[in-house]
């Protein structure tokens, strides 16, 4: 589980791997999940029966036990492309629109998207990974009134013509058919929800025209930060990447026969568009081919819950109608993982909460989910296995740095190269010297 809304700027990044660059809730949840996976692998290696993993077909390799699925819940739509959705105004409509809640449309506070500006990042968010099979929320039906699609420049175009509602085209999701969808009967599209994430260098920029043409859709975006620019890609982009490469990351792929994919993504009660989610999570990568064995573009099941996160911006604002002052999100990021030792991790500005300037660089200042801490978990796992029982990728040559171990995960790196080459060519990667720690 994770909460958080902050990122650090480029000037605050550290080459020692002991700071969290991105503390958005989705990322904290995913890194907490990786911590859980390391613990489960350690349990499996020690031959305990209650691990989620079972031996694979090759020496030192493991796979998930059958009928085990992971569901990602997010209380709000991810920042970036998935948040660029139509904003509706009701016209004599007796029922609430199916994709946007009536509260969200009528409450002006909600119209400030969670990441609309750097000054007031909105919506403290909670995410959670589930390991137990369960019934998923029902998919929300939709009555077609108008269709929206992207124009040649990638901006949203609104049309009452229902003949344009074919499936999205393959290839670039910023193309003419990338963002087709529907809006409810009796609703009028008056604007689009904004995202604070900025287009990365090398991508066509937003037009910033008034109304529905403000954003272009289908583009890679980078998160805003306080002060200087961040190097953190939007959560929409990261989720789309995880939907191809898996949630386990490069280090864990040394031990896994197949990537660990999400079975479903569930979004809480908030401004939401099934078409925008599909465009951002799947359609931008659908055309990617030539992936190594085991990797694929997942047909991720995406649904919306009717549950409003009780600590969301609009829920808190509703309780404070007579209270002066503005509501701002908590500056800390909270992570929780199902591990026996120190399951809760609270960080602020990339370090464990309570860290002083003097203590920066010490073990006590590290978040449990920063790069160097997860790397330590990986190294401890490797050390617990005799060399002859290790995966082949960890036997062939001597590896030392975080970068070397990541690069040695050959199938994962090949899949990432294919994804970059065919879909995410402008992705911002941290320079190698930020990953040379041991």
């Amino acid at each position: 589980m994770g909460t958080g809304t902050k990122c650090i700027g480029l000037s605050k990044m550290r080459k020692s791997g002991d700071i969290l660059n991105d503390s958005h809730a989705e990322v904290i949840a995913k890194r907490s999940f990786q911590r859980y996976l390391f613990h489960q692998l350690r349990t499996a290696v020690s031959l305990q029966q209650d691990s989620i993993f079972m031996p694979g077909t090759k020496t030192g390799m493991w796979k998930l036990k059958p009928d085990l699925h992971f569901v990602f819940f997010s209380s709000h739509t991810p920042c970036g492309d998935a948040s660029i959705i139509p904003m509706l105004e009701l016209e004599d409509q007796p029922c609430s629109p199916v994709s946007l809640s009536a509260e969200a449309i009528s409450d002006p506070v909600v119209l400030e998207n969670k990441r609309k500006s750097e000054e007031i990042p909105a919506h403290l968010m909670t995410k959670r990974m589930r390991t137990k099979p369960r019934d998923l929320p029902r998919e929300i039906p939709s009555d077609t009134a108008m269709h929206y699609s992207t124009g040649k420049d990638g901006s949203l175009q609104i049309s009452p013509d229902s003949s344009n509602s074919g499936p999205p085209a393959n290839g670039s999701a910023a193309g003419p058919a990338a963002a087709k969808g529907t809006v409810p009967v009796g609703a009028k599209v008056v604007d689009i929800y904004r995202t604070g994430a900025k287009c990365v260098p090398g991508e066509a920029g937003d037009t910033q025209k008034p109304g529905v043409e403000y954003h272009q859709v289908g583009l890679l975006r980078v998160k805003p930060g306080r002060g200087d620019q961040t190097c953190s890609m939007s959560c929409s982009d990261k989720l789309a990447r995880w939907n191809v490469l898996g949630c386990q990351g490069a280090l864990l792929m040394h031990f896994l026969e197949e990537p660990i994919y999400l079975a479903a993504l569930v979004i809480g009660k908030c401004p939401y568009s099934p078409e925008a989610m599909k465009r951002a999570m799947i359609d931008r990568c659908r055309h990617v081919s030539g992936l190594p064995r085991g990797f694929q573009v997942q047909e991720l099941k995406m649904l919306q819950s009717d549950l409003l996160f009780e600590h969301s911006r609009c829920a808190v604002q509703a309780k404070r109608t007579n209270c002066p002052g503005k509501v701002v999100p908590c500056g800390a990021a909270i992570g929780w993982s199902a591990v026996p030792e120190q399951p809760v991790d609270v960080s602020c500005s990339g370090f464990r909460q309570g860290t002083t300037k003097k203590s920066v660089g010490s073990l006590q200042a590290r978040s449990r989910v920063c790069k160097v801490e997860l790397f330590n978990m990986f190294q401890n796992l490797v050390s617990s296995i005799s060399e002859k029982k290790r995966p082949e990728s960890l036997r062939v040559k001597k590896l030392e740095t975080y970068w070397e171990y990541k690069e040695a995960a050959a199938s994962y790196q090949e899949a990432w190269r294919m994804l970059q080459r065919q879909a995410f060519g402008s992705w911002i990667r941290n320079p190698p010297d930020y990953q040379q720690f041991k």
Side-chain angles (χ1 to χ4, degrees):
M1 184 183 296
T3 74
T5 61
K6 312 288 186 183
C7 291
I8 64 166
L10 177 60
S11 64
K12 292 185 178 179
M13 290 173 59
R14 292 168 57 86
K15 295 181 180 180
S16 49
D18 60 355
I19 191 170
L20 288 169
N21 299 332
D22 187 345
S23 293
H24 276 216
E26 295 92 333
V27 177
I28 297 295
K30 185 254 194 179
R31 298 182 77 83
S32 299
F33 180 55
Q34 288 175 323
R35 191 180 173 206
Y36 163 78
L37 293 176
F38 276 120
H39 169 68
Q40 288 292 321
L41 266 176
R42 188 72 182 264
T43 302
V45 165
S46 62
L47 302 179
Q48 297 179 37
Q49 296 298 312
D50 56 350
S51 171
I52 63 171
F53 293 108
M54 59 187 292
T57 55
K58 295 181 180 179
T59 301
M61 302 298 280
W62 301 84
K63 60 184 178 181
L64 281 177
K65 288 179 178 177
D67 301 321
L68 183 59
H69 306 281
F70 296 101
V71 175
F72 195 104
F73 171 81
S74 169
S75 62
H76 200 280
T77 47
C79 67
D81 197 51
S83 288
I84 305 174
I85 58 180
M87 186 184 296
L88 307 182
E89 177 182 83
L90 293 182
E91 292 183 336
D92 299 319
Q93 171 70 358
C95 302
S96 300
V98 294
S99 292
L100 300 181
S101 67
E103 297 97 321
I105 293 170
S106 60
D107 187 344
V109 175
V110 183
L111 303 187
E112 299 177 25
N113 183 277
K114 170 178 173 287
R115 292 116 174 162
K116 181 178 175 183
S117 71
E118 297 181 16
E119 289 79 32
I120 312 176
H123 300 289
L124 182 66
M125 298 170 63
T126 359
K127 321 286 167 181
R128 132 167 61 180
M129 293 284 188
R130 286 192 180 273
T131 59
K132 295 180 181 178
R134 57 169 290 178
D135 293 334
L136 297 177
R138 61 181 175 82
E139 288 188 284
I140 301 170
S142 178
D143 297 315
T144 303
M146 290 183 242
H147 289 266
Y148 64 87
S149 62
T150 49
K152 293 181 180 179
D153 61 354
S155 60
L156 285 175
Q157 304 290 322
I158 310 300
S159 169
D161 182 6
S162 62
S163 64
N164 294 329
S165 58
N170 287 341
S172 170
K180 293 182 179 177
T182 63
V183 296
V185 172
K188 175 183 176 184
V189 177
V190 295
D191 203 340
I192 56 171
Y193 284 87
R194 310 282 199 265
T195 178
K198 313 299 182 185
C199 297
V200 301
E203 294 274 9
D206 289 322
T207 65
Q208 297 190 353
K209 295 178 181 178
V212 296
E213 296 184 21
Y214 183 88
H215 282 307
Q216 291 200 68
V217 298
L219 303 180
L220 291 173
R221 294 176 179 272
V222 66
K223 292 168 181 170
R226 301 253 175 189
D228 59 335
Q229 184 61 59
T230 77
C231 290
S232 300
M233 302 299 293
S234 76
C235 289
S236 291
D237 299 334
K238 289 188 175 183
L239 279 158
R241 176 184 171 179
W242 303 340
N243 197 47
V244 180
L245 304 184
C247 292
Q248 74 295 317
L251 294 180
L252 278 160
M253 273 309 297
H254 282 288
F255 292 97
L256 300 178
E257 288 194 338
E258 294 181 343
I260 296 179
Y261 291 113
L262 298 174
L265 173 61
V266 181
I267 304 296
K269 188 177 183 181
C270 65
Y272 175 84
S273 163
E275 293 81 17
M277 288 292 296
K278 182 171 176 287
R279 175 191 72 223
M281 301 296 118
I282 302 174
D283 291 344
R284 294 191 292 172
C285 305
R286 189 183 295 280
H287 63 287
V288 174
S289 60
L291 292 168
R293 183 179 178 181
F295 291 88
Q296 58 184 316
V297 182
Q298 292 289 299
E299 284 297 327
L300 179 67
K301 191 171 184 63
M302 291 177 285
L303 309 107
Q304 186 181 26
S305 167
D306 61 359
L307 296 176
L308 177 68
F309 178 45
E310 63 178 311
H311 301 292
S312 66
R313 184 178 182 86
C314 62
V316 172
Q317 189 77 39
K319 296 174 185 175
R320 292 172 47 91
T321 50
N322 298 320
C323 299
K326 65 183 180 182
V327 175
V328 295
C330 174
I334 306 169
W336 176 86
S337 187
V339 296
E341 295 182 12
Q342 295 182 290
V344 177
D345 181 78
V346 184
S347 58
C348 190
S349 299
F351 295 112
R352 185 180 295 183
Q353 190 176 50
T355 297
T356 62
K357 286 186 178 180
K358 267 187 183 178
S359 62
V360 168
S362 67
L363 293 176
Q364 292 74 26
R366 295 177 183 174
S367 161
R368 292 282 171 178
V369 293
C370 68
K371 286 188 179 74
V372 70
E373 282 293 305
L374 291 179
F375 186 40
N376 285 342
M377 291 191 76
F378 170 79
Q379 290 176 307
N380 290 337
L381 176 61
V382 174
S383 299
S384 70
I385 306 170
S386 63
E387 188 167 346
K388 64 180 181 180
K389 292 185 177 180
R390 293 174 187 172
E392 185 180 0
S393 60
L394 299 176
R395 282 184 276 131
V396 291
K397 62 179 180 179
K398 186 173 177 61
L399 304 169
E400 291 186 348
T401 67
Y402 178 76
W403 172 262
E404 289 172 352
Y405 274 104
K406 284 183 67 175
E407 288 298 303
S411 63
Y412 181 91
Q413 296 299 343
E414 177 61 19
W416 181 212
R417 282 191 288 272
M418 290 293 102
L419 181 58
Q420 283 184 292
R421 192 175 302 157
Q422 299 177 51
F424 290 161
S426 299
W427 191 282
I428 297 176
R429 298 191 71 178
N430 294 333
D433 57 335
Y434 281 90
Q435 303 182 65
Q436 295 300 331
F437 52 88
K438 298 181 181 180

